[in-house]
Amino acid sequence: MRTSLRWLFIGLLVTAMLQSCKKDDNLGLDIINLPGDRFGFDYVDTTTLIAWSVFEDSIQTSGVLYNLLGSYYDNVFGKTSASIYTQALLTSSEVEFGVNPVGDSLILTLRYNGYYGDSTFKHRLKIYEINENADFHKDTVYYSNRHLPLGQLLFDDEVTFNPLDSVEFNGEKVPAILKVKLNQVLINKFIAASNTSDLTNNDNFRNFFKGLYIAVEEVNAPGKGSIAYFNMNADLTRLTLYYHNDSVSFASYPFAINDQCAKFTNFNHNGYQDAEYMLKNQDTTGVNDRLYLQATAGVKIMLKMPYLKEIYKDGPVAINRAELVLKTDPSDHTAADFKVPVKLTLARINDEGKYTFIKDYLYSETFFGGQHDPIRNEYRFRITRHLQEILNEKFEDHGLVVLVSGSAVLANRVAILGNSPAVGRNVRLEIVYAKP
């Protein structure tokens, strides 16, 4: 009997140990918020945070995965527009279009990769040739506020973005593309260059044809508009010349738009509505009803923790877990087309004033967090190691910056509840720590 009891006790002990080793992402947050609990942990969520929003200056949009085109008018963020500058290249050398060539049509196709806003909205699309005197090079870094001089207008008509349905192109079904027929101006230019040095190689061609500027008119109807995302390196993104000559009744030549082309997106913000008023009156001491975040070089949140070291007032502590929480404004979720970002990103500001990784991110992107929780209406970042290094004086704390993840290739925006007495504490740190 005594032996049976001993094995029963060992079995219960092993079971308890296994259960205690199970991973729990909410480790003790619901039970260790009382001082002096038996585990020796303390919990605090009253650390002062100073948060305010500022306009973004510009961001790099050359060398990115996707380019954006469109315009929308948000009731909170006002008008946002995106336009594209891109080169095109020869797909062969010594190009010639035969004897007595005649240009029939010139088709620009852009491969969709998604959209933001109302995809049924009808835009006024305009396409220009980039001016021959423009300085446009593949090895140059371009930012979202850059403009290039423009030349001839090549297209001016209404279009509707259709990023979801396949279409017919060259006699076969292909994934969704925007297909635009350019006017005769550029057709004549290409045909006239047949069998000349301008079409000998791409170095000559870049000087002969600087590229295209693709834009839409700014949307003026509140709550309307959209921005399409385009894969400018996809095979279906190209410029195709159709022609005939004395020998053939139908022929085509593709000009490539790919990763060897210089290209970038320009962003423009106008009339920031509610956000503009609030941003001009943002209190940098952190007493704000609302904070704002917008991709497309729009708005970012600056954040400081001036009294973090107060947690050391009774001696050193070891942080077990620390999370930064940002609550979204539920009243901002009324515009179904203008969805909040799926993910935010967080960076620290270094001694040079530049943004750098927080070391918690190196564990894994999922561990670090930043995903939107639609049930809790919040974003959470795990910054345990970051806070411990501040307390251990591993570096000088210059604050944090919150941005929309993928700001150069997405168009999302969101309003965050602030920390003013009127709305409560919605931007906060939740810290679990122990006193060694």
Side-chain angles (χ1 to χ4, degrees):
M1 175 68 89
R2 187 174 299 168
T3 302
S4 299
L5 287 174
R6 183 176 62 183
W7 282 110
L8 176 61
F9 173 77
I10 292 172
L12 291 172
L13 180 61
V14 170
T15 302
M17 291 174 64
L18 290 173
Q19 288 178 343
S20 69
C21 291
K22 288 182 180 178
K23 181 179 177 182
D24 184 357
D25 286 339
N26 292 309
L27 178 63
L29 287 181
D30 56 343
I31 61 172
I32 60 177
N33 55 356
L34 298 176
D37 65 71
R38 61 179 180 170
F39 295 109
F41 289 110
D42 284 318
Y43 171 77
V44 62
D45 64 356
T46 56
T47 302
T48 299
L49 294 183
I50 297 175
W52 70 99
S53 296
V54 296
F55 290 115
E56 185 70 88
D57 294 327
S58 64
I59 56 176
Q60 181 180 334
T61 55
S62 58
V64 298
L65 289 173
Y66 310 112
N67 294 90
L68 277 55
L69 173 65
S71 177
Y72 70 87
Y73 190 165
D74 184 283
N75 291 318
V76 174
F77 286 80
K79 303 172 186 177
T80 297
S81 298
S83 53
I84 300 171
Y85 293 87
T86 182
Q87 289 178 332
L89 298 175
L90 301 175
T91 52
S92 60
S93 58
E94 307 288 346
V95 177
E96 55 92 15
F97 302 124
V99 179
N100 297 322
V102 176
D104 297 317
S105 62
L106 183 62
I107 305 297
L108 172 68
T109 53
L110 305 177
R111 173 74 165 88
Y112 284 109
N113 195 73
Y115 71 100
Y116 183 74
D118 178 9
S119 65
T120 65
F121 184 81
K122 188 171 289 187
H123 289 279
R124 187 83 189 186
L125 178 65
K126 295 188 176 184
I127 302 176
Y128 294 84
E129 181 180 358
I130 298 174
N131 188 278
E132 61 185 9
N133 296 317
D135 208 11
F136 196 22
H137 303 287
K138 174 70 171 67
D139 57 358
T140 300
V141 174
Y142 293 94
Y143 288 84
S144 56
N145 58 353
R146 182 72 181 270
H147 293 275
L148 298 179
L150 303 180
Q152 295 273 12
L153 179 65
L154 304 175
F155 182 86
D156 183 2
D157 204 352
E158 289 187 335
V159 300
T160 300
F161 295 147
N162 189 3
L164 303 177
D165 297 332
S166 59
V167 297
E168 187 167 313
F169 181 62
N170 285 346
E172 60 182 272
K173 279 282 187 180
V174 298
I177 57 173
L178 175 66
K179 185 167 64 172
V180 176
K181 184 176 181 180
L182 304 184
N183 66 26
Q184 201 67 29
V185 173
L186 194 54
I187 296 175
N188 294 341
K189 180 173 181 171
F190 287 162
I191 291 295
S194 176
N195 203 25
T196 70
S197 61
D198 292 326
L199 303 187
T200 299
N201 55 53
N202 272 317
D203 287 338
N204 291 356
F205 185 69
R206 286 188 188 96
N207 291 324
F208 168 69
F209 175 61
K210 290 301 176 73
L212 300 172
Y213 172 63
I214 311 164
V216 302
E217 286 187 352
E218 185 179 76
V219 173
N220 289 309
K224 300 294 184 181
S226 61
I227 289 182
Y229 308 153
F230 290 102
N231 185 344
M232 299 294 286
N233 296 331
D235 181 57
L236 289 170
T237 296
R238 68 181 80 151
L239 190 62
T240 307
L241 174 67
Y242 297 91
Y243 65 95
H244 65 273
N245 55 37
D246 286 353
S247 301
V248 294
S249 58
F250 178 82
S252 65
Y253 183 85
F255 297 89
I257 299 175
N258 55 29
D259 59 0
Q260 298 305 305
C261 297
K263 48 181 147 7
F264 68 96
T265 307
N266 173 272
F267 296 131
N268 183 61
H269 299 278
N270 179 28
Y272 259 90
Q273 300 298 302
D274 177 34
E276 181 176 32
Y277 170 78
M278 291 299 293
L279 284 167
K280 287 179 179 177
N281 294 277
Q282 284 273 289
D283 187 343
T284 55
T285 66
V287 185
N288 296 294
D289 292 345
R290 257 183 169 192
L291 302 168
Y292 300 92
L293 286 168
Q294 186 182 30
T296 62
V299 188
K300 59 190 175 185
I301 293 175
M302 312 303 295
L303 195 149
K304 289 184 178 293
M305 304 170 286
Y307 308 116
L308 179 64
K309 291 184 179 180
E310 286 291 306
I311 203 171
Y312 259 23
K313 64 184 178 182
D314 295 325
V317 301
I319 297 179
N320 176 265
R321 182 187 179 104
E323 289 189 328
L324 172 66
V325 183
L326 298 96
K327 300 286 289 186
T328 61
D329 185 351
S331 67
D332 181 43
H333 295 181
T334 55
D337 289 328
F338 302 139
K339 296 179 174 61
V340 303
V342 173
K343 194 173 187 305
L344 304 182
T345 191
L346 183 71
R348 76 175 181 91
I349 302 170
N350 64 18
D351 293 341
E352 290 77 41
K354 299 183 182 300
Y355 305 157
T356 186
F357 279 114
I358 290 174
K359 288 187 178 178
D360 297 82
Y361 178 84
L362 300 178
Y363 292 119
S364 77
E365 192 173 353
T366 303
F367 175 90
F368 184 53
Q371 291 82 10
H372 179 241
D373 185 332
I375 298 174
R376 293 183 176 182
N377 286 330
E378 67 182 21
Y379 298 89
R380 284 178 175 262
F381 292 96
R382 195 176 305 193
I383 56 173
T384 308
R385 183 174 176 180
H386 177 70
L387 294 195
Q388 189 69 63
E389 290 192 340
I390 292 175
L391 294 176
N392 294 346
E393 298 184 342
K394 295 288 187 180
F395 53 79
E396 186 71 24
D397 179 27
H398 299 287
L400 301 168
V401 60
V402 187
L403 304 157
V404 175
S405 184
S407 185
V409 296
L410 298 172
N412 304 67
R413 28 64 82 232
V414 63
I416 302 290
L417 288 174
N419 281 350
S420 72
V423 296
R425 297 183 61 260
N426 300 286
V427 180
R428 65 182 184 274
L429 279 174
E430 295 180 352
I431 304 174
V432 177
Y433 65 96
K435 300 173 183 177

